[in-house]
Amino acid sequence: MAVKTLSCRVLSKLFNHGVIASTNPLSARDAAAAAAAAAAVLGRSSVRGYYNAGKPRHTGPGGAVHARVVDLRSDTVTKPGPAMRQAMAEAEVGDDVMGEDPTVNELQKIAADMFQMEAALFVPTGTMSNLIAVMVHCRERGDEMIVGDLSHLHIYEQGGSAQLAGVHATTVTTLPNGTFDLEQLESKIRHGYPDPHYPRTRLICVENTHNIQGGRVLPLTFLQEVRALADRYGLSVHMDGARVMNAAVSQGVPPSTILQHTHTVSVCLSKGLGSPVGTMLAGPRDFISQAVRCRKALGGGMRQAGILAAAGKMSLLEMVGRLEEDHRNAKTFAQALLDCDPLLFNVEMAAVETNILRFYLQESSLSPSEFCARMAQVGEGEEAALGQGIQVLMYPHFGNSVRAVWHLGISHEDTQLAIRKMQFVASQYSKEKLRAQ
């Protein structure tokens, strides 16, 4: 199948593999303990608080636990549906370290064709994939990469490029739309090598969509200019494209249109695309040959990995088109925040481009942590007012904001429930404020 035909087919398909979040009841004792633990989690408002592992579960003062849960913490909480599980169970497998797993090989070919790159490699995680890319592009200890100061690679990956690869990072200021100033970028390039005082600049890293900046899609013109700058100085460009398929859907283009401006890319399968595990690393054939060696050294050489690759195939071939639904639901919730009475929220609608929503509270007396705690518990009078308890899970995020993420586990109905809960919380807060005056 031609790459163009494949890309268009993938981007046009809409699949509804919704997964309803679990609503298993807890005992009153367990619920109380969980509520206390969750309150501690939600109290962390720093950027590092986003990736807490515990799932908050709150109950109302009467101990009610029969609540509908709408989990907007991250698109990493998605679960494989029945069709994906069946594909995994029936996958043909072999030893992938020996290159003999047919399902992995097929997945890698699909990814390479879709991205219009020479080769691709199935890697357990996005963090490992980004680290491998840095290790291959920056082959000598003391080499340097340039990254955005708010990039996932710089903030959330434990400094692995320095810790494990001996690669120095210098940062440029991340702008609100996820880009950075090209003049500042150029000023960060080291020109003194082999002067012993300086590292050698080898790599520029971009992130698309941009996580911390709220799922922003990098403009194609920006990527073109970054690539031109890199080519001028003999540098490589790597894209942390964990959600690049969201970017492609948002821009209405095949992923290859975006990736033509990069040398390599890391694409996550286990977020909105619904796989339980896995990331695709793609680039030139010689790059992937070196990447195989790095993957092995990092412990990422799996054996009968076709069981996982079968899910990845379905993610790339059948789950891309449905990302549009997530984008639409995120915009629906964002608009409801603006329309809320009382006016508690600040949202830049133009910045809501994909499945990630960042919003701010306009009342200084209602912090992001407190708002998230209220959204996650079943408040007094809620069941009578709404007909049921609703727990909406989201996190305080970077820059004193709240972050909510839509994914295949969140339907239009779930989004409407989250809106009702938000309106209830806003109304209750307003009543409390009036009583206190």
Side-chain angles (χ1 to χ4, degrees):
M1 182 183 295
V3 172
K4 183 177 180 181
T5 303
L6 174 63
S7 298
C8 292
R9 178 167 68 86
V10 169
L11 289 171
S12 65
K13 281 192 175 184
L14 294 176
F15 283 76
N16 295 314
H17 295 281
V19 179
I20 302 300
S22 171
T23 57
N24 293 334
L26 297 175
S27 69
R29 179 181 299 176
D30 289 343
V41 168
L42 290 170
R44 304 174 191 171
S45 60
S46 72
V47 64
R48 295 174 181 83
Y50 170 62
Y51 282 113
N52 292 304
K55 180 175 181 178
R57 296 189 63 91
H58 292 264
T59 61
V65 292
H66 297 285
R68 179 73 170 266
V69 178
V70 181
D71 194 343
L72 302 178
R73 291 173 300 161
S74 176
D75 46 8
T76 61
V77 303
T78 58
K79 300 176 182 178
M84 185 174 284
R85 288 178 180 271
Q86 182 177 355
M88 295 169 68
E90 297 174 354
E92 186 179 358
V93 300
D95 191 321
D96 180 48
V97 175
M98 297 180 182
E100 296 175 356
D101 191 302
T103 308
V104 172
N105 293 340
E106 186 178 2
L107 170 62
Q108 291 173 164
K109 179 64 164 58
I110 289 169
D113 289 347
M114 185 179 295
F115 305 155
Q116 289 195 11
M117 293 193 171
E118 291 181 355
L121 182 66
F122 183 52
V123 178
T125 71
T127 295
M128 181 183 287
S129 183
N130 282 334
L131 177 57
I132 290 171
V134 171
M135 291 172 70
V136 177
H137 285 301
C138 304
R139 299 190 183 184
E140 296 182 23
R141 294 181 67 84
D143 281 349
E144 181 177 68
M145 64 176 181
I146 304 174
V147 298
D149 62 345
L150 296 183
S151 66
H152 191 283
L153 200 156
H154 181 61
I155 290 182
Y156 289 128
E157 298 181 9
Q158 208 184 103
S161 56
Q163 182 182 168
L164 301 174
V167 176
H168 181 261
T170 192
T171 62
V172 289
T173 302
T174 304
L175 301 177
N177 67 350
T179 67
F180 25 79
D181 180 80
L182 292 175
E183 290 186 3
Q184 185 188 34
L185 173 62
E186 187 171 12
S187 74
K188 296 287 185 171
I189 298 172
R190 311 276 189 164
H191 303 288
Y193 186 85
D195 186 309
H197 294 89
Y198 308 116
R200 173 167 51 178
T201 305
R202 290 279 203 174
L203 178 65
I204 300 170
C205 296
V206 295
E207 183 179 336
N208 195 19
T209 63
H210 200 282
N211 181 354
I212 284 181
Q213 298 293 37
R216 299 302 300 269
V217 179
L218 299 187
L220 294 174
T221 52
F222 168 75
L223 294 174
Q224 185 177 16
E225 291 169 341
V226 169
R227 177 60 183 266
L229 182 65
D231 288 346
R232 193 183 318 150
Y233 291 103
L235 309 179
S236 297
V237 178
H238 172 68
M239 177 179 287
D240 175 0
R243 297 180 178 89
V244 73
M245 306 308 275
N246 293 85
V249 169
S250 177
Q251 293 177 319
V253 299
S256 57
T257 299
I258 297 173
L259 300 178
Q260 66 179 314
H261 304 302
T262 70
H263 294 90
T264 59
V265 66
S266 174
V267 181
C268 191
L269 304 173
S270 61
K271 292 186 172 68
L273 299 182
S275 282
V277 173
T279 289
M280 301 308 302
L281 178 63
R285 190 165 285 107
D286 61 343
F287 169 89
I288 294 299
S289 294
Q290 290 298 317
V292 171
R293 290 183 53 81
C294 293
R295 184 186 69 173
K296 180 65 174 175
L298 295 173
M302 299 180 287
R303 298 297 176 175
Q304 286 70 35
I307 293 173
L308 301 174
K313 284 174 53 181
M314 182 170 287
S315 288
L316 291 181
L317 295 177
E318 301 185 8
M319 302 297 281
V320 176
R322 63 148 309 280
L323 295 174
E324 184 178 356
E325 178 184 350
D326 300 338
H327 301 175
R328 186 166 55 249
N329 286 334
K331 289 181 175 68
T332 297
F333 189 86
Q335 187 61 54
L337 290 171
L338 287 180
D339 295 340
C340 181
D341 184 16
L343 299 175
L344 288 181
F345 309 101
N346 181 22
V347 183
E348 182 185 351
M349 285 299 297
V352 188
E353 297 179 313
T354 56
N355 65 320
I356 301 176
L357 169 64
R358 283 185 68 198
F359 60 95
Y360 300 83
L361 289 105
Q362 300 190 114
E363 291 279 348
S364 59
S365 58
L366 182 61
S367 69
S369 296
E370 173 64 19
F371 174 75
C372 288
R374 288 172 179 249
M375 290 290 286
Q377 68 184 3
V378 178
E380 184 176 357
E382 177 178 332
E383 292 177 280
L386 304 181
Q388 64 179 318
I390 303 170
Q391 297 173 269
V392 180
L393 311 183
M394 53 183 72
Y395 279 140
H397 196 54
F398 186 86
N400 205 38
S401 65
V402 175
R403 181 180 189 267
V405 186
W406 274 258
H407 50 83
L408 64 87
I410 304 298
S411 64
H412 174 74
E413 178 191 2
D414 292 320
T415 303
Q416 293 302 316
L417 288 174
I419 289 171
R420 291 175 61 199
K421 178 58 177 274
M422 174 271 295
Q423 293 168 339
F424 175 80
V425 168
S427 175
Q428 291 296 100
Y429 171 77
S430 180
K431 291 176 183 178
E432 293 171 11
K433 187 176 178 181
L434 284 174
R435 287 196 297 265
Q437 289 178 349

